[in-house]
Amino acid sequence: MGIPIILMQHVDKCYSLDGVEVQALRGVDLTVDSGEFVAIMGPSGSGKSTLMNVIGCLDLPDSGTYTLNGEDVTALGGDALARVRNRTIGFVFQSFNLLPRTSAVENVEMPLIYAGIAKQGRRQRAQVLMESLGLTDRMNHMPSQLSGGQQQRVAIARALVNRPPILLADEPTGNLDSRSGEEVMNILEELNRRDGVTIVLITHEPEIAKRADRMLTLRDGRLEG
Ligand code: ADP
Ligand code: MG
């Protein structure tokens, strides 16, 4: 094996709110190899979103080390951290987080604007990806005109349009009925198996987590195999 794509050692993360300290992550060790599909489970409040924020470089650990795709990200400042994030990680959230007054295809193209890709190339890349996700006849719909499952597929297309090696999904099926949830899981599985995208899936549902190759559990800020 090469270097793990995610290598986290002894990570702590503490929040303080109104003088009360909450230790959200306690000595977390996490190793994910390139091409793996890992599920992280845990009850509400166990630290799942905090861990996702650290994995996704939206937040830094208080202590410990984090090496992402061979780069020590704990040593990076804001701009450098954002660049590593943009080229390495695609995010999918429970609440889809699409821009409401922007068509589906424009939502998908958005990250390519920041990546400096010209207009024609943007449209073409977004279209190919949306076609592969069964959204051919939904490109010009507004998010409010789409079902939850369709919105999440648009969000997955947006997360992947920059071709990041890692997809990080926080409760991606949490707002979906079981059939749409199943569809989204089929898509994640295919992206992993066919395209080799490394997937870290965060969920509190055992049925969803079972679809991954490996399951880890957070309890009270501690990660257990
Ligand atoms: P989960 O996603 O598993 O529900 P979180 O990572 O959101 O858990 O939260 C872990 C713990 O940290 C909880 O006790 C939560 O109340 C606390 N917490 C999360 N975010 C903040 C914050 N911004 N400020 C203060 N406490 C926080
Ligand atoms: Mg959460």
Side-chain angles (χ1 to χ4, degrees):
M1 291 306 297
I3 312 166
I5 197 160
I6 291 172
L7 177 58
M8 211 177 259
Q9 289 170 309
H10 316 306
V11 162
D12 292 324
K13 184 77 198 172
C14 183
Y15 294 110
S16 89
L17 189 66
D18 303 328
V20 179
E21 303 245 302
V22 177
Q23 190 79 39
L25 296 177
R26 303 167 193 260
V28 168
D29 294 321
L30 172 66
T31 305
V32 178
D33 287 323
S34 183
E36 266 200 297
F37 186 165
V38 178
I40 298 174
M41 296 199 53
S44 180
S46 59
K48 300 186 298 300
S49 293
T50 303
L51 180 58
M52 157 144 178
N53 289 344
V54 175
I55 294 173
C57 303
L58 294 164
D59 211 347
L60 287 171
D62 293 337
S63 59
T65 62
Y66 180 25
T67 307
L68 174 63
N69 211 8
E71 193 151 14
D72 175 8
V73 297
T74 46
L76 300 178
D79 288 354
L81 196 60
R83 275 197 297 278
V84 169
R85 176 166 65 233
N86 290 341
R87 68 165 182 263
T88 314
I89 298 189
F91 292 91
V92 175
F93 302 95
Q94 176 171 358
S95 50
F96 322 132
N97 293 9
L98 299 175
L99 296 174
R101 275 170 288 279
T102 306
S103 70
V105 69
E106 286 167 344
N107 265 281
V108 175
E109 287 178 283
M110 202 64 72
L112 297 176
I113 297 178
Y114 297 111
I117 311 278
K119 191 169 180 168
Q120 209 183 344
R122 291 203 298 265
R123 185 54 53 102
Q124 204 195 348
R125 237 155 97 174
Q127 272 176 357
V128 168
L129 196 50
M130 290 178 83
E131 279 161 18
S132 77
L133 293 174
L135 293 164
T136 307
D137 52 1
R138 293 291 183 275
M139 307 239 183
N140 297 310
H141 284 56
M142 293 292 154
S144 63
Q145 300 169 320
L146 299 173
S147 71
Q150 289 165 343
Q151 288 184 62
Q152 195 60 299
R153 279 185 277 150
V154 172
I156 290 170
R158 181 182 56 184
L160 291 171
V161 77
N162 262 331
R163 301 176 184 147
I166 302 173
L167 189 71
L168 195 49
D170 191 2
E171 307 268 5
T173 62
N175 278 349
L176 301 178
D177 59 74
S178 56
R179 216 194 93 222
S180 309
E182 178 83 6
E183 264 172 36
V184 162
M185 289 308 299
N186 290 341
I187 287 169
L188 296 185
E189 208 167 83
E190 180 162 311
L191 290 167
N192 175 253
R193 300 277 136 82
R194 188 195 58 194
D195 303 335
V197 179
T198 303
I199 298 185
V200 179
L201 167 76
I202 293 178
T203 182
H204 65 273
E205 296 176 73
E207 286 306 312
I208 295 292
K210 272 190 202 148
R211 305 276 301 259
D213 300 325
R214 185 153 68 96
M215 240 194 281
L216 300 167
T217 305
L218 261 176
R219 279 195 189 83
D220 207 15
R222 287 181 217 280
L223 194 59
E224 304 165 2

